[in-house]
Amino acid sequence: MMPNPKLLVAGELNVDLILNKIQAFPQMGKEMIAEEMEICLGSSSAIMAANSAALGVDTTFCGVIGEDYFGEFILRELEKKAVSCQHITRLAGRKTGCTLVMSYDQDRANVTYPGTMDALTIRDIPIESPTVYQHLHVSSLFLQKGIHRDIAQIFMHAKAAGMTTSLDMQWDPTEQWAFDYAACLPYVDVFMPNEAELLALTKAGSLAAAMEKVRPYLNTLALKMGKNGSMGICGGQELTVPAFEVPHFVDAIGAGDSFNAGFIQKYMSGAPLEECLRAGNLMGAISTTGAGGTGAFADRQKISETIKDFWGIELSLT
């Protein structure tokens, strides 16, 4: 265990344009009104990194942006969250990605312009040995064509360099699910899908069947189940941890990424599986109390106050 654990997040970068309190779902030829709008840091990877840093984790981001306003906005937001941007590359002549998020209660519809999401490659990720990082996290595999084909090699190199690893593959917009999990997952210490993603990936008829398909290749599974909490599988251990009820719901954007931040913070500290799952559930719940994926994660003091006010728990990040 390193004395000052360092997290490296490699992934996509974009801004989120979030519309809340929409009158109805849009229809062709008609115009709808949204009563609220936010422009904020987007992307699964960046939300996980920003919220990890807010929890006190020494966090560095590796990704690609364009030389444009959205790129500048992303850098400012990450730096405000104390995320190191030393491995973020800016590409002239390319546009930074943007996601339009139409939020409806606890569900949402997204439309994404990928921009520079496909520009990150294995050559950009500092996974050489020896490494200064303890853990590598990768999100949104299917949006990142530049690392898609090399994903098993990326994790293999990270493991060879002495890092632990995690993957949140996210949804495949093409719904082809071209991911050789049998080749890749042995090098992934924590696999972090949600129920719908795992079912789609395995093409199984039930969640139990889906888990049996990936089980031979797993190290640890941290399965996100929304209102039903999360499930963990590690070796012969299998357990479910209930979700935290949220008394003040704003939106569910970034809740899964916040789960990742809470889980991995505890995982890097050597905590047992149940504690990791509980921390993930707690951070996912906190995320829904603020706008966007990072609105509820201003700093550790704000996080501590929210946890104490809503659930009467004293925050422990060790």
Side-chain angles (χ1 to χ4, degrees), residues 156-199:
M156 194 183 307
H157 287 180
K159 295 294 293 178
M163 303 169 72
T164 52
T165 58
S166 55
L167 171 65
D168 183 354
M169 63 180 180
Q170 300 275 316
W171 190 257
D172 179 6
T174 70
E175 299 194 27
Q176 295 178 4
W177 299 96
F179 171 48
D180 187 353
Y181 58 84
C184 185
L185 290 185
Y187 303 100
V188 176
D189 289 299
V190 187
F191 182 41
M192 314 184 81
N194 65 28
E195 293 173 286
E197 292 158 0
L198 186 61
L199 286 167

Side-chain angles (χ1 to χ4, degrees), residues 3 6 13 25 36 71 73 80 91 111 131 134 150 206-207 210 221 228 236-237 245 248 264 277 306 309:
K6 295 178 181 290
L13 288 167
F25 198 81
E36 296 179 356
F73 178 87
K80 281 198 299 187
L91 290 183
V111 180
T131 181
Q134 177 185 340
D150 295 319
S206 69
L207 189 59
L221 174 69
N228 294 320
Q237 185 181 21
E245 292 188 12
H248 176 66
I264 294 303
L277 291 168
T306 300
D309 289 346

Side-chain angles (χ1 to χ4, degrees), residues 55-57 262 265-272 275-276 279 300 314-318:
L55 290 172
V57 177
Q265 188 276 328
K266 287 293 185 181
Y267 182 84
M268 291 173 67
S269 73
E275 190 175 335
C276 294
R300 291 176 68 173
E314 294 288 345
L315 177 63
S316 172
L317 296 177
T318 57

Side-chain angles (χ1 to χ4, degrees), residues 274-290:
E274 184 173 4
E275 190 175 335
C276 294
L277 291 168
R278 186 169 183 270
N281 291 352
L282 182 57
M283 296 307 153
I286 291 170
S287 177
T288 67
T289 67

Side-chain angles (χ1 to χ4, degrees), residues 43-308:
S43 91
S44 174
S45 305
I47 291 170
M48 189 274 186
N51 293 349
S52 294
L55 290 172
V57 177
D58 188 334
T59 306
T60 298
F61 199 95
C62 178
V64 181
I65 55 176
E67 287 192 337
D68 54 13
Y69 172 79
F70 284 168
E72 291 283 356
F73 178 87
I74 287 168
L75 286 178
R76 288 197 305 270
E77 291 300 301
L78 286 173
E79 288 168 353
K80 281 198 299 187
K81 297 289 186 179
V83 176
S84 171
C85 300
Q86 61 178 311
H87 294 297
I88 294 180
T89 303
R90 306 193 66 178
L91 290 183
R94 294 289 303 272
K95 293 181 180 179
T96 306
C98 177
T99 295
L100 172 63
V101 182
M102 293 170 285
S103 183
Y104 300 87
D105 190 28
Q106 297 198 33
D107 207 349
R108 62 190 184 273
N110 295 354
V111 180
T112 293
Y113 165 69
T116 54
M117 291 181 187
D118 62 358
L120 183 69
T121 71
I122 188 173
R123 295 184 299 275
D124 300 310
I125 306 173
I127 48 178
E128 67 279 355
S129 183
T131 181
V132 298
Y133 302 105
Q134 177 185 340
H135 187 93
L136 171 68
H137 178 81
V138 178
S139 288
S140 299
L141 174 63
F142 300 106
L143 289 175
Q144 301 183 79
K145 297 178 182 178
I147 64 171
H148 190 174
R149 69 177 182 180
D150 295 319
I151 191 63
Q153 189 176 2
I154 288 169
F155 284 122
M156 194 183 307
H157 287 180
K159 295 294 293 178
M163 303 169 72
T164 52
T165 58
S166 55
L167 171 65
D168 183 354
M169 63 180 180
Q170 300 275 316
W171 190 257
D172 179 6
T174 70
E175 299 194 27
Q176 295 178 4
W177 299 96
F179 171 48
D180 187 353
Y181 58 84
C184 185
L185 290 185
Y187 303 100
V188 176
D189 289 299
V190 187
F191 182 41
M192 314 184 81
N194 65 28
E195 293 173 286
E197 292 158 0
L198 186 61
L199 286 167
L201 173 68
T202 59
K203 299 177 175 62
S206 69
L207 189 59
M211 289 190 292
E212 288 308 308
K213 280 196 171 186
V214 298
R215 191 186 293 268
Y217 315 105
L218 290 174
N219 290 296
T220 297
L221 174 69
L223 183 69
K224 290 168 280 193
M225 304 189 299
K227 292 180 180 180
N228 294 320
S230 59
M231 177 183 293
I233 296 176
C234 184
Q237 185 181 21
E238 184 171 328
L239 68 156
T240 300
V241 177
F244 287 83
E245 292 188 12
V246 179
H248 176 66
F249 179 86
V250 176
D251 65 49
I253 297 162
D257 310 314
S258 302
F259 172 95
N260 295 347
F263 186 103
I264 294 303
Q265 188 276 328
K266 287 293 185 181
Y267 182 84
M268 291 173 67
S269 73
L273 178 60
E274 184 173 4
E275 190 175 335
C276 294
L277 291 168
R278 186 169 183 270
N281 291 352
L282 182 57
M283 296 307 153
I286 291 170
S287 177
T288 67
T289 67
T294 61
F297 289 80
D299 51 43
R300 291 176 68 173
Q301 181 177 348
K302 174 60 177 175
I303 297 169
S304 297
E305 291 172 355
T306 300
I307 292 172
K308 191 169 184 179

